[in-house]
Amino acid sequence: MPAGSGSLSDQGPAQAPAVGRVSSLRCGTRRPYSRYMGDKSTIEWTEATWNPTTGCDRISAGCDNCYALTLAKRLKAMGNAKYQLDGDPRTSGPGFGLAIHSDVLALPYTWREPRRVFVNSMSDLFHARVPTDFVVEVFNVMVATPRHSYQILTKRPRRVARLASSLPWPKNVWMGVTVEDQETAWRADVLRDVPAAVRFISAEPLLGPVDLDLDGIDWLIAGGESGVGHRHIDPAWVDALQRACASSGTAFFFKQWGGRRPKSGGRLLRGRSWDEMPTPKLRAQALVTV
């Protein structure tokens, strides 16, 4: 997620992750997760959030105005226990150091009704400092809760590809990458070799025109940046992506035009809303070497 003066690679600054205190709460319990409850989300394309890790490091232009980094600073000031570890100021910030929270792994078991779950809205599961064993634990929870659909979004698809053959890929796990401009379009090419039931692209914040090969891509989300210092989005960029999706059979979801606030510009494109959702597909396990 979140580009500073550090290296713009899959690796963040060398720093051991903090391991969250393991809760006594076990799978299937009815006790509330009040501190971590994410069963409602205002993000249009999902229904809940689940953050088994928090914190990240900026690695590309799309991270410059990272909402999660800004929110983490606020949550730290409020005393939220999950956001007390500071990240490297060159690439991260207050409350946004990479931290592992084993005590929320069982949260999806407590949700009885099926829902779409955005995994790590406040982090990146495939950050270099998230231990591989923990990534596997997260996937095992997703396998064990097939009633939910899990949406994982990363800016680090090379690590996804390296781990792909050692992870389970049930049909309820959707894997996506952020592509904010033509310079980051390569992420979609790496994603194409990952055997997820749904492969998706989040072109948000969309910072320039993008020419994408959508072969093997099931869903594309587009949106403009919001907040102080938000960058311009040209309607022609969005229009081109929608038409490319229509030509390739890729579901298209337009989230927002952005502006000072997320809803400032609305979300209509050519006079209508675009809320298409993908259809999961069965794919053979990929053996990828990157």
Side-chain angles (χ1 to χ4, degrees), residues 25 31-39 80 82 104 107 110:
L25 189 57
R31 289 174 56 194
Y33 273 90
S34 58
R35 286 188 300 142
Y36 305 115
M37 190 61 72
D39 60 338
N80 188 301
K82 291 182 71 176
V104 300
L107 176 57
T110 69

Side-chain angles (χ1 to χ4, degrees), residues 250-266:
T250 300
F252 179 75
F253 193 106
F254 184 52
K255 183 171 174 285
Q256 64 185 41
W257 288 109
R260 180 63 180 80
R261 294 180 175 80
K263 310 303 181 188
S264 294

Side-chain angles (χ1 to χ4, degrees), residues 11-270:
Q11 303 295 323
Q15 176 182 344
V19 179
R21 177 174 56 85
V22 178
S23 169
S24 60
L25 189 57
R26 297 296 182 227
C27 304
T29 180
R30 296 183 181 180
R31 289 174 56 194
Y33 273 90
S34 58
R35 286 188 300 142
Y36 305 115
M37 190 61 72
D39 60 338
K40 293 190 183 300
S41 174
T42 60
I43 301 171
E44 288 82 354
W45 47 264
T46 197
E47 296 171 332
T49 57
W50 175 41
N51 284 285
T53 74
T54 55
C56 201
D57 290 277
R58 294 172 288 177
I59 61 171
S60 66
C63 304
D64 289 350
N65 296 321
C66 177
Y67 76 88
L69 188 152
T70 301
L71 180 56
K73 181 179 180 180
R74 189 184 314 157
L75 290 169
K76 177 181 179 175
M78 293 168 60
N80 188 301
K82 291 182 71 176
Y83 299 94
Q84 296 305 308
L85 181 68
D86 294 343
D88 187 314
R90 299 170 299 170
T91 57
S92 185
F96 210 50
L98 196 286
I100 306 299
H101 303 287
S102 299
D103 50 348
V104 300
L105 276 174
L107 176 57
Y109 292 93
T110 69
W111 293 332
R112 295 179 179 275
E113 296 299 319
R115 63 197 68 194
R116 289 191 303 272
V117 182
F118 182 10
V119 181
N120 276 358
S121 61
M122 294 293 292
S123 186
D124 189 329
L125 184 62
F126 290 92
H127 190 288
R129 296 200 307 276
V130 177
T132 298
D133 288 349
F134 191 75
V135 175
V136 172
E137 286 188 63
V138 171
F139 267 71
N140 286 340
V141 172
M142 296 189 290
V143 170
T145 52
R147 62 187 176 276
H148 306 314
S149 295
Y150 293 94
Q151 302 158 310
I152 309 170
L153 187 59
T154 187
K155 287 187 174 72
R156 297 165 173 84
R158 290 192 178 108
R159 190 173 185 213
V160 182
R162 286 194 293 269
L163 298 181
S165 62
S166 61
L167 295 171
W169 292 97
K171 66 180 182 179
N172 65 323
V173 173
W174 303 6
M175 190 69 234
V177 295
T178 302
V179 175
E180 63 260 35
D181 51 25
Q182 196 62 48
E183 187 176 346
T184 54
W186 64 268
R187 293 173 181 161
D189 296 327
V190 179
L191 176 66
R192 213 180 322 277
D193 290 325
V194 175
V198 169
R199 303 187 191 112
F200 69 98
I201 292 171
S202 174
E204 184 189 11
L206 185 58
L207 302 179
V210 184
D211 182 15
L212 288 169
D213 176 4
L214 294 175
D215 181 48
I217 304 300
D218 307 297
W219 190 32
L220 187 144
I221 305 162
E225 193 169 54
S226 61
V228 177
H230 63 275
R231 288 164 284 185
H232 168 74
I233 182 172
D234 190 321
W237 306 341
V238 182
D239 188 72
L241 286 176
Q242 188 280 318
R243 295 183 189 279
C245 286
S247 296
S248 65
T250 300
F252 179 75
F253 193 106
F254 184 52
K255 183 171 174 285
Q256 64 185 41
W257 288 109
R260 180 63 180 80
R261 294 180 175 80
K263 310 303 181 188
S264 294
R267 54 187 303 264
L268 299 182
L269 171 66
R270 299 201 299 274

